[in-house]
Amino acid sequence: MTGTVGNDEVALDGPRMWAEFTDPDQTGQRVRADLTWLTSSWRCIFGDGCPGVYAERPEDGCCTLGAHFSDRSDLERVGRVVDELGPDEWQMHDVGHQSGWTFAVESEDDASPAEITTARVEGACIFLNRPGFPAGAGCALHQHALLNGLAPLTTKPDVCWQLPIKRSYRTIEQADESSYTEVSLEEFDRGSWGPGGHDFDWYCTSAQSAHSAPDPVYVSLRDELVELIGAPAYQLLARLCDEVVDQRQARVTAAVQPGPRRQLPLFVHPGTVAASRPGPVTPDG
């Protein structure tokens, strides 16, 4: 992606800092992490200025799309939470129980099984409580977790609680014919959605209005990262990120100062840099 996209978005095509290390708890596995993203000041601004991915549905955030379940265990885990939701928590409770809360997306390949997603009602995910609902607008599964003192990652579909962290795996074959598994942690940007991501009217990871958190991503999303790579690997990742953050403010300051002799912000996320410049930052949604 090049150039500015959407309302207050910035280009994500600049240099980044990556770290790679052996997972202390998994033999034959290495973690490859985008420290530029993990030390950024991004936060979810749903309900706090988020204009939604589609301009005609500003209240939906990214819930317009519904959620694809990653596997059977993901589906079953959410199903157990659905059984606990009452109509006072879930606006679409009756619809969900009468018509079903999942939808099967048939594959074009007859040999592949259908993908299961959350159903969509009136243009958005069936679990999205709309503005005006007494329990409040937002994801019923997320709100249920907070009401019961649970981490939202225990109640929501995998894709929902992982966003906007992208985890991927690949096998690395080495010259000595040995191999290891590489686990990558990076930013789930527009391109990660596939071709449709570039049709969004707005998207948060590249939007400076979403880079307003007091804590960096690796701190604010600690529970999610621990779930994705385990506690021992997270502890090592956090130490590396701490070292980056120790220098980040100096680099952000240098990046926004006028003049030709600036220190290059090689590991500062462009959204964080843009949000640090003087003047109001709001999505024009």
Side-chain angles (χ1 to χ4, degrees):
M1 181 178 73
T2 59
T4 300
V5 178
N7 301 303
D8 65 330
E9 293 182 65
V10 296
L12 298 179
D13 50 2
R16 296 203 172 207
M17 173 177 279
W18 291 78
E20 184 175 323
F21 58 89
T22 299
D23 188 330
D25 202 39
Q26 294 285 338
T27 302
Q29 183 165 288
R30 289 180 64 80
V31 176
R32 179 175 178 268
D34 179 356
L35 301 190
T36 299
W37 164 242
L38 295 172
T39 60
S40 75
S41 59
W42 176 91
R43 69 181 179 97
C44 176
I45 58 172
F46 181 87
D48 190 23
C50 174
V53 295
Y54 294 120
E56 67 272 18
R57 300 191 63 95
E59 306 293 345
D60 292 356
C62 57
C63 300
T64 305
L65 305 173
H68 286 251
F69 289 97
S70 59
D71 55 27
R72 176 59 59 178
S73 64
D74 184 26
L75 177 62
E76 292 175 350
R77 177 175 50 79
V78 173
R80 290 191 291 270
V81 180
V82 171
D83 291 339
E84 299 175 0
L85 291 175
D88 59 328
E89 294 181 276
W90 182 20
Q91 185 175 10
M92 304 298 173
H93 176 276
D94 292 347
V95 176
H97 283 283
Q98 292 168 7
S99 304
W101 52 272
T102 62
F103 180 76
V105 181
E106 298 296 334
S107 171
E108 296 181 0
D109 179 3
D110 294 337
S112 300
E115 292 187 21
I116 305 300
T117 74
T118 58
R120 295 171 71 245
V121 176
E122 298 175 359
C125 178
I126 194 170
F127 293 109
L128 178 66
N129 293 334
R130 277 52 167 186
F133 184 64
C139 175
L141 299 169
H142 188 106
Q143 293 171 339
H144 181 77
L146 299 182
L147 283 171
N148 290 277
L150 303 172
L153 64 86
T154 65
T155 62
K156 298 169 68 174
D158 285 343
V159 67
C160 298
W161 66 258
Q162 290 176 16
L163 279 171
I165 298 172
K166 179 182 178 181
R167 179 184 63 177
S168 58
Y169 295 89
R170 66 173 178 166
T171 299
I172 303 297
E173 302 287 349
Q174 302 190 100
D176 62 1
E177 299 185 352
S178 65
S179 63
Y180 63 89
T181 299
E182 179 187 87
V183 184
S184 287
L185 297 175
E186 55 191 300
E187 177 178 346
F188 202 104
D189 60 10
R190 281 176 173 268
S192 300
W193 289 94
H198 296 289
D199 295 331
F200 293 161
D201 293 309
W202 182 86
Y203 188 60
C204 62
T205 70
S206 55
Q208 54 185 300
S209 56
H211 284 257
S212 55
D215 295 315
V217 167
Y218 77 97
V219 174
S220 62
L221 297 185
R222 177 191 181 280
D223 290 345
E224 289 79 2
L225 288 165
V226 168
E227 184 68 20
L228 288 170
I229 61 174
Y234 173 79
Q235 291 173 2
L236 181 52
L237 174 64
R239 288 199 297 271
L240 294 170
C241 288
D242 284 342
E243 295 177 5
V244 172
V245 170
D246 285 344
Q247 302 176 55
R248 184 177 71 177
Q249 188 54 52
R251 287 182 175 257
V252 170
T253 301
V256 300
Q257 293 299 317
R261 298 180 61 82
R262 293 185 296 170
Q263 185 179 17
L264 292 176
L266 295 181
F267 47 49
V268 181
H269 191 283
T272 299
V273 172
S276 301
R277 294 192 173 100
V281 177
T282 56
D284 184 18

